[in-house]
Amino acid sequence: MNIKWLLKKMILPILIALCVFVVVSHDHFLYHSPVGKITAVKTLSSHEVSDDFQNKDRQIVQELQVKILNDNKKTLTLQNTTTSSQTTDQLFRVGQQVILQKIAGQVQIVSLKRDALISALLVLFIGFLISFQRLRASLFLLASLVLNLIYFASVIAFNVSFNPPVLLLFAFLSALFAASSLLFVLGPTRQMVYTFITTALTTFITFAVTLLVLKLTGNHGVHFEYLEYVTQNPSEFFFVGTMISVLGAIMDGTGDIVAGLFGLARQNELNQINMTKKDYIRSGMSIGQEIIGTLTNVLFMIFMAEALPMTLLLLRNGNTWGYIATVGLNLGLLQTIISAIGIVLAVPITAIVTSFGLVRMHRKSEVHPI
């Protein structure tokens, strides 16, 4: 019975996602740019190439028959030159839909039309969320995600238009992210308040320690100038990105610890057990010790996944590990270490602050019993 229930919960979102995929695959009439479907692919040539470092690849020239779907319905013949590694271009296959653009009198492929896949995955996520969570909680979580996206876009637009102090602006955004997310997920409860307080306090202390260490060492070994595509002070934008990533990591840890301690307090109240501050601190530290390892490993896995393509590219072009560590891994590794420091600091800070709050709440309930 449980297996049947589980299958129903999973199959319905999958079927809806497939329907959305089919429908959005035929929305080409909504596009102003020409949308085409590849009906035939022919390989004109394929030969081996190599660079100055003897990296070998295979260059392929394709002839594509592309049928226009949303304009005059005619069929075009286009050429596509790419490599087997597909580092800057890609191989096309029959059935793919592409977005076209006329450049210098010639029709060229701009990109694949990916809206059907993205829409289907989004619907699948929402479907699974509603299937395995309470409807109210799911709707509040989705509202929180949408609002955070609006906050982010608004702050970016404000920064571009008025060029305010970047750190202050994104510190405000981080606080808004935390308050809004926790309010929608946990509701206006004491648990939400203590999670927000401990998250904000831990984030502040983490950055204070980080800035102090960098100040004392004179940023030795840290190369902010390698930050890509930044039009303002690179060190400020590094800390802006780090602030948001650290906030997410810390909020995850503090949320688990606060939830565990509040659950323990409710259980103790039912069993009429009185716990001291030291007992709550010990329990909070115990919960924190269980999550430190997993959260830190998750951070390093995300860092390694992001760094892998650039590391392989630099290695294949004859660069040394020392150069790669300086150019490709330096800032990402520093960001990961700062986040890890925040996770570790979150454990004692959250345990201490929440224990004081719970003991105080228990005393008030004894003085003013319901």
Side-chain angles (χ1 to χ4, degrees):
M1 185 65 181
N2 288 334
I3 296 177
K4 289 182 179 179
W5 174 84
L6 184 63
L7 287 174
K8 287 180 181 178
K9 290 283 187 178
M10 295 182 65
I11 289 173
L12 185 59
I14 292 173
L15 291 176
I16 295 174
L18 289 174
C19 291
V20 169
F21 180 84
V22 173
V23 170
V24 179
S25 294
H26 294 81
D27 69 344
H28 44 77
F29 61 90
L30 298 175
Y31 282 75
H32 295 291
S33 300
V35 175
K37 183 177 181 179
I38 300 174
T39 57
V41 177
K42 180 181 178 182
T43 301
L44 298 179
S45 65
S46 176
H47 61 276
E48 194 174 84
V49 293
S50 61
D51 61 11
D52 295 337
F53 300 99
Q54 302 306 311
N55 296 314
K56 298 186 184 300
D57 208 339
R58 180 163 291 277
Q59 188 178 74
I60 300 169
V61 179
Q62 295 178 304
E63 183 181 83
L64 310 175
Q65 299 294 325
V66 181
K67 181 181 179 182
I68 305 298
L69 299 175
N70 63 336
D71 194 2
N72 48 24
K73 308 294 183 181
K74 67 179 180 179
T75 299
L76 304 176
T77 300
L78 306 176
Q79 278 196 4
N80 174 53
T81 302
T82 184
T83 55
S84 295
S85 60
Q86 302 183 65
T87 50
T88 56
D89 297 288
Q90 70 177 77
L91 287 166
F92 291 102
R93 64 179 186 271
V94 175
Q96 289 180 319
Q97 293 187 15
V98 292
I99 298 174
L100 306 170
Q101 186 176 358
K102 198 169 186 178
I103 302 174
Q106 292 185 341
V107 177
Q108 298 180 12
I109 296 175
V110 177
S111 67
L112 284 173
K113 182 175 175 291
R114 300 184 176 91
D115 56 352
L117 179 61
I118 294 172
S119 300
L121 290 174
L122 181 61
V123 169
L124 190 63
F125 162 69
I126 296 173
F128 281 153
L129 184 65
I130 294 174
S131 292
F132 296 102
Q133 287 276 2
R134 294 189 306 273
L135 179 61
R136 178 184 171 88
S138 300
L139 294 177
F140 274 107
L141 175 58
L142 293 173
S144 171
L145 294 174
V146 172
L147 278 176
N148 283 341
L149 183 61
I150 294 172
Y151 299 152
F152 181 74
S154 301
V155 167
I156 292 293
F158 183 81
N159 177 67
V160 171
S161 300
F162 299 101
N163 198 22
V166 175
L167 287 177
L168 289 178
L169 178 64
F170 280 88
F172 169 75
L173 176 64
S174 298
L176 191 60
F177 274 162
S180 178
S181 300
L182 293 172
L183 186 61
F184 273 86
V185 174
L186 300 177
T189 60
R190 286 193 177 100
Q191 183 177 330
M192 174 266 168
V193 172
Y194 279 98
T195 304
F196 177 77
I197 291 172
T198 52
T199 298
L201 184 60
T202 306
T203 304
F204 174 79
I205 293 174
T206 300
F207 268 87
V209 171
T210 301
L211 293 174
L212 178 62
V213 171
L214 291 176
K215 182 72 174 177
L216 293 175
T217 57
N219 295 339
H220 183 70
V222 181
H223 299 278
F224 295 116
E225 66 274 14
Y226 290 130
L227 195 65
E228 296 179 339
Y229 311 120
V230 173
T231 57
Q232 294 173 246
N233 188 332
S235 63
E236 288 185 350
F237 272 86
F238 168 78
F239 284 113
V240 162
T242 305
M243 188 183 302
I244 295 175
S245 66
V246 168
L247 178 72
I250 290 174
M251 191 160 59
D252 192 359
T254 57
D256 289 343
I257 297 171
V258 173
L261 290 179
F262 267 77
L264 182 62
R266 285 191 290 268
Q267 190 66 33
N268 291 336
E269 188 176 350
L270 289 174
N271 298 327
Q272 296 184 343
I273 299 174
N274 291 326
M275 287 181 65
T276 63
K277 291 176 185 177
K278 288 184 179 180
D279 294 329
Y280 278 119
I281 291 174
R282 247 185 251 113
S283 299
M285 295 292 289
S286 178
I287 296 170
Q289 288 167 3
E290 295 293 328
I291 63 175
I292 282 178
T294 53
L295 286 179
T296 305
N297 274 300
V298 167
L299 286 176
F300 275 95
M301 287 176 188
I302 293 173
F303 162 68
M304 287 187 287
E306 290 179 347
L308 181 61
M310 182 58 69
T311 302
L312 290 177
L313 182 63
L314 292 173
L315 277 175
R316 283 188 172 274
N317 283 278
N319 296 288
T320 64
W321 277 105
Y323 178 80
I324 293 171
T326 301
V327 175
L329 307 179
N330 185 281
L331 296 179
L333 184 60
L334 177 60
Q335 192 175 71
T336 304
I337 292 172
I338 295 172
S339 298
I341 291 171
I343 290 172
V344 175
L345 289 177
V347 175
I349 292 172
T350 307
I352 292 170
V353 172
T354 309
S355 66
F356 273 80
L358 289 172
V359 171
R360 185 179 176 186
M361 286 164 49
H362 183 68
R363 286 175 181 169
K364 282 186 176 181
S365 65
E366 288 181 341
V367 175
H368 305 287
I370 298 177

